[in-house]
Amino acid sequence: MCGIVGYTGHREAYPVIIKGLKRLEYRGYDSSGVALLNNGQLKVFRKKGKVAELEESVIGKDLQSHIGIGHTRWATHGEPSDRNAHPHQSQSGELAMIHNGIIENYTQIKQELLSKGYHFKSDTDTEVLLNFIEDIKKNNDCGLEEALRIALKRVVGAYCILLISNDDPDTIIAARKGSPLVIGIGKGEHFLASDASPIIEYTKEVVYVNDYEIAIVRPDELILKNLGNEKQTPFITKLDMELAAIEKGGYDHFMLKEIHEQPEAIFDCLRGRLLTQTGQIKMAGIENNLDAFINAPRIIIVACGTSWHAGLIAEYLIEELCRIPVEVEYASEFRYRNPVIHKGDVIIAISQSGETADTLVALESAKEKGAFIFGVVNAVGSSIARLSHAGAYTHSGPEIGVASTKAFTGQLAVLTMMALKIGYAKGAIKQPRYLQLMQDLEAVPEKVREILQDTSHIQRMAAKYKDATDFLFLGRGYNFPVALEGALKLKEISYIHAEGYPAAEMKHGPIALVDEKLPVVFVATKDSYYQKIVSNVQEIRARKGKVIAVATAGDMVIPGMSDDVMFVPDADEAIAPMLSVIPLQLLSYYTGLAKGLDVDKPRNLAKSVTVE
Ligand code: M6R
């Protein structure tokens, strides 16, 4: 949530910052702003709405500067507006600051400042923190860095902040706890950002700042310190990412591009790991901890949103193939209900961004209780990846569209390999099925490519159903989480109310919603529940609901009972979700498009939810 960018060096800062903010817009787009420093003069420009609106509002303004900070906001404290937009300026006007995170004890600090005569121009926690820093600086007669350090010791919550001051013409001071910060190292210049996407164009050498670290960043110097004022050695990492991966590459939207990237993304995920010829699955994170998995009395999967749906599918996979009990938890609930964690329990955290605050905080507390944490993460070097004891990256490449698509199928590919590897090592799965599933998994990229070859019928269906006010998505077994995912995608992108349900559970309540206006999407591929789901389709038809089906190619029965069908190639039921979800991603994309909505930046959402 919220994207931040900073630059100090020999280039003009404004274009670097604006371009960076556009790349980070997936993190929030309620408002944006920049603060530029030139000859000791601080200039701040802020605007409600997307970055393009900020750009328009500064046409003709003097933007000359070689140092600056910029922010794109996902509102937490205070409505989206010009006055709540970042950067904020301190009361004296000397400091400007941007912030990603939430200061939980800001009301208390604000009261203290109000009693000292401070006034606030915004409703944000950020302005409170900024004036708190300024107040400490004044009262302690110390430098900005020291004031920041003192302030942060009082702060409860999460933050990544960038600060500039008009009496320090080329320095950005940054600090993080809980919200990400990457610093790009150039020649005589430094770039700061929430992730590497604004940086990749200029340098591939980056430093991931750790929690409780302060960075003092000048064109030729990067100093890292902890809150105890001790210098830390910056650990330089080389980015393994190309600029093309974060651009639209000829597609109208990132979401469509990412849907179409799935054959390659899944292939990349399997490459070098799934060795069908020798019957081996190579995953160092699992190999090095095989005993922990095999002997685990229980596996707990912790995730949010789409990643949680991948976790539900993993529950089916692991219980079937490894015979280990699995619980799947919403990270936000897991953290706060004081869960029982037994010795030996393994926690699998699933996250595309690796920065989701609910998941991160849940893991921190589980780690404190001694749990072994295994991360299934897409973003390399992200907070969850670093917090995990071991893990497996999904290698799906950067996912920019707010709706998660290729990250989901990447997660399923990793989780399937994990279940196969552990199950086989444990002896819970016999060799013929193990080898068969390996082959089925290897065939997935090609089958996804087949589904994506012609999507025009899905586009027509989207136009037909776009005015529906509600949708029901139903599935059984492995396809139940796919139904949940289909409903989530449609809600996010088209703003149509949609519910996902186990197909059989539907008759215990939601069936009351069914009438001739309700489209009901059945994820009804050929699996062990097939006959049962045929009956469920009949139950909907008997009540005049519109039936849309995801069916297996060659099936004659389900299509004969449906108003519209989207076919997917045949596959083992454990593998099928990677295929059956693709038409549902496309249905939501085309529905949003037909409704004229911004599918890459749906209202109220952000890609990376870094607040609890
Ligand atoms: O980055 P994460 O996988 O941890 O994100 C979890 C959810 O916020 C995310 O999946 C969200 O539900 C997506 N917008 C779904 O498309």
Side-chain angles (χ1 to χ4, degrees), residues 460-511:
R460 283 194 295 277
M461 278 169 49
K464 179 170 162 189
Y465 295 105
K466 74 173 182 7
D467 296 321
T469 51
D470 305 272
F471 261 74
L472 202 54
F473 285 74
L474 303 175
R476 299 180 81 128
Y478 283 100
N479 277 331
F480 158 54
V482 177
L484 293 180
E485 176 60 6
L488 176 65
K489 281 298 82 100
L490 191 74
K491 273 184 272 208
E492 281 187 295
I493 302 304
S494 71
Y495 314 156
I496 295 174
H497 167 248
E499 278 189 52
Y501 244 80
E505 185 66 17
M506 166 266 302
K507 59 186 176 294
H508 298 286
I511 199 162

Side-chain angles (χ1 to χ4, degrees), residues 171-225:
T171 307
I172 299 175
I173 300 188
R176 84 155 261 184
K177 187 207 149 206
S179 302
L181 175 61
V182 190
I183 302 180
I185 302 168
K187 287 200 174 64
E189 58 184 348
H190 281 105
F191 307 82
L192 300 92
S194 302
D195 72 28
S197 59
I199 297 175
I200 184 90
E201 178 169 353
Y202 310 101
T203 175
K204 290 205 167 176
E205 295 202 330
V206 298
V207 171
Y208 290 97
V209 177
N210 292 309
D211 276 351
Y212 303 108
E213 282 182 347
I214 292 182
I216 300 101
V217 190
R218 304 190 177 96
D220 288 309
E221 193 176 32
L222 164 62
I223 302 170
L224 275 188
K225 291 184 180 176

Side-chain angles (χ1 to χ4, degrees), residues 303-309 350-357 359 376 384 399 401-405 407 411 485 488-489 492-493 605-609:
C304 304
T306 289
S307 299
W308 186 81
H309 297 154
I350 309 176
S351 174
Q352 186 288 126
S353 61
E355 300 295 347
T356 301
T359 311
V376 175
I384 294 174
E399 193 181 65
V402 165
S404 192
T405 53
Q411 289 164 348
E485 176 60 6
L488 176 65
K489 281 298 82 100
E492 281 187 295
I493 302 304
L605 286 169
K607 181 74 183 160
S608 190
V609 186

Side-chain angles (χ1 to χ4, degrees), residues 98-296:
I98 54 178
H99 168 217
N100 167 23
I102 289 183
I103 306 303
E104 287 171 16
N105 56 341
Y106 86 106
T107 34
Q108 192 191 337
I109 299 173
K110 189 170 184 175
Q111 282 311 321
E112 288 172 25
L113 292 172
L114 284 170
S115 68
K116 288 180 172 182
Y118 278 83
H119 303 289
F120 293 89
K121 297 181 258 333
S122 77
D123 308 316
T124 64
D125 50 345
T126 306
E127 192 188 6
V128 173
L129 175 58
L130 177 60
N131 281 318
F132 185 45
I133 296 166
E134 178 160 283
D135 189 59
I136 293 171
K137 184 171 178 283
K138 233 170 29 193
N139 292 334
N140 292 268
D141 197 18
C142 61
L144 184 55
E145 185 194 321
E146 180 60 15
L148 173 64
R149 209 182 337 270
I150 297 169
L152 293 182
K153 286 183 184 156
R154 273 271 322 264
V155 159
V156 178
Y159 54 79
C160 171
I161 55 175
L162 303 192
L163 257 171
I164 51 177
S165 159
N166 64 9
D167 66 7
D168 198 346
D170 62 2
T171 307
I172 299 175
I173 300 188
R176 84 155 261 184
K177 187 207 149 206
S179 302
L181 175 61
V182 190
I183 302 180
I185 302 168
K187 287 200 174 64
E189 58 184 348
H190 281 105
F191 307 82
L192 300 92
S194 302
D195 72 28
S197 59
I199 297 175
I200 184 90
E201 178 169 353
Y202 310 101
T203 175
K204 290 205 167 176
E205 295 202 330
V206 298
V207 171
Y208 290 97
V209 177
N210 292 309
D211 276 351
Y212 303 108
E213 282 182 347
I214 292 182
I216 300 101
V217 190
R218 304 190 177 96
D220 288 309
E221 193 176 32
L222 164 62
I223 302 170
L224 275 188
K225 291 184 180 176
N226 62 18
L227 290 187
N229 201 19
E230 292 158 334
K231 280 199 177 175
Q232 309 292 302
T233 311
F235 180 73
I236 299 175
T237 310
K238 215 152 183 88
L239 288 174
D240 179 20
M241 189 201 286
E242 295 305 325
L243 187 58
I246 53 167
E247 295 188 328
K248 283 192 199 146
Y251 286 91
D252 289 340
H253 295 98
F254 282 111
M255 184 179 175
L256 188 63
K257 176 186 175 228
E258 288 156 7
I259 290 173
H260 280 270
E261 277 174 350
Q262 288 175 108
E264 291 78 32
I266 299 169
F267 180 80
D268 286 346
C269 173
L270 304 177
R271 187 173 44 197
R273 289 169 163 170
L274 187 79
L275 309 177
T276 37
Q277 306 248 319
T278 55
Q280 283 172 295
I281 295 176
K282 289 230 172 278
M283 297 177 92
I286 300 285
E287 266 142 48
N288 298 339
N289 299 286
L290 204 51
D291 287 345
F293 277 102
I294 288 177
N295 301 320

Side-chain angles (χ1 to χ4, degrees), residues 32-86:
S32 62
V34 289
L36 303 167
L37 200 50
N38 195 16
N39 292 327
Q41 253 215 323
L42 201 51
K43 286 189 188 156
V44 178
F45 306 98
R46 305 182 299 171
K47 192 76 195 151
K48 180 181 169 188
K50 297 188 175 143
V51 177
E53 288 165 66
L54 170 70
E55 248 185 320
E56 209 165 292
S57 73
V58 300
I59 291 171
K61 303 260 165 67
D62 175 12
L63 302 169
Q64 213 199 341
S65 158
H66 295 283
I67 173 169
I69 54 178
H71 187 270
T72 177
R73 179 172 186 243
W74 186 86
T76 57
H77 296 62
E79 56 168 10
S81 62
D82 289 357
R83 71 185 185 89
N84 285 330
H86 300 211

